[in-house]
Amino acid sequence: MLTTSAHAVDIKIDKQNIALSNIIIPKTYEQAAQTYIHDWQKTHITATIALPYQNRFGSQSAIITAKNHHILQKDLLRQGLAILFPSGPKTDIIADLKQAEALAIHEKRNIWQHKPAPLLQKNITEDDYYQFQIITGTIRKAEKYGSIIYINFGDDWRQDFTIKVRSPA
C-alpha cells in the first residue's frame, strides 16, 4: 500500500523555474523522479517549453518537450514515477499521458507495484489527512450537497469509506 503526500514538481530550464503540468509526484518517489528528470535533461539537452500557462498559484507551468518529441511528463508517467493530474489547459496531450500511465499501471512500475489500499479499518485522525492513496472499490452512492460532492464506497456513510470533493460551484 502506498500512502504519502503528492505534489507538483518544478524544474529549471534556462534559469527559469517551470512547474511540470498535468502530473504530481508522490513524496516517496520524489528522489527517484528527480534523478530521472536530471538524467532526462542531460539526454534531451534541447528541451523546450510547450503550452506554457500560469497555474493557479501564479507559477509558470508547461509541458516539457525535446526535439526528438519526447515529453518529460509522459516519460515520468511511463516509468511509474508520476501520477496523472490534469491541471493545465485541455489539450490532446492528456490522452497520450493517460496511455503512458495505463502502461505503467499494467506493468506495475514503481508507484503501481503497490497493492491497492484496503479500506481503512481505524478511526481517522488529523494525521491521516492530506495523504495520497490509490483507492479501488465500488462506488455505492454519490450525492451533491451545496458545493460538496460525497462519494460513498459503502451502504452507511457514517460507518464506511467516503470521499469528500469540492465541486466547482
Side-chain angles (χ1 to χ4, degrees):
M1 175 176 80
L2 173 67
T3 303
T4 185
S5 60
H7 55 85
V9 172
D10 288 355
I11 66 169
K12 209 174 263 286
I13 295 181
D14 297 330
K15 299 181 183 178
Q16 183 180 8
N17 281 338
I18 304 292
L20 297 179
S21 65
N22 298 306
I23 63 169
I24 54 175
I25 298 183
K27 192 171 186 173
T28 50
Y29 282 86
E30 189 172 16
Q31 186 59 50
Q34 290 290 355
T35 299
Y36 187 87
I37 291 167
H38 178 76
D39 293 345
W40 191 94
Q41 285 183 292
K42 284 197 303 192
T43 305
H44 301 89
I45 295 169
T46 57
T48 58
I49 300 166
L51 304 170
Y53 71 96
Q54 194 171 37
N55 67 22
R56 65 183 175 163
F57 303 109
S59 299
Q60 181 78 8
S61 290
I63 301 290
I64 307 302
T65 62
K67 279 195 174 178
N68 63 0
H69 305 290
H70 276 262
I71 298 169
L72 177 56
Q73 286 93 325
K74 184 177 178 179
D75 290 349
L76 284 164
L77 289 164
R78 175 68 182 85
Q79 293 302 316
L81 295 172
I83 296 167
L84 183 61
F85 188 75
S87 56
K90 303 284 187 240
T91 66
D92 295 338
I93 191 74
I94 299 298
D96 288 342
L97 298 178
K98 282 182 183 178
Q99 189 175 35
E101 183 180 56
L103 200 50
I105 292 168
H106 176 74
E107 294 176 356
K108 297 185 182 344
R109 290 179 170 256
N110 292 307
I111 294 164
W112 306 109
Q113 69 185 324
H114 302 279
K115 292 184 173 144
L119 291 181
L120 298 174
Q121 300 297 318
K122 62 177 184 158
N123 292 328
I124 297 174
T125 67
E126 281 193 41
D127 291 340
D128 296 311
Y129 292 2
Y130 306 109
Q131 297 295 310
F132 176 82
Q133 289 192 6
I134 299 167
I135 305 294
T136 58
T138 302
I139 297 172
R140 302 270 188 222
K141 190 174 187 182
E143 293 280 336
K144 183 176 179 185
Y145 294 100
S147 65
I148 305 291
I149 299 171
Y150 295 93
I151 303 169
N152 298 310
F153 288 84
D155 295 322
D156 181 358
W157 65 269
R158 292 175 189 90
Q159 300 292 320
D160 299 317
F161 187 77
T162 300
I163 297 174
K164 176 179 158 185
V165 181
R166 282 200 194 286
S167 73

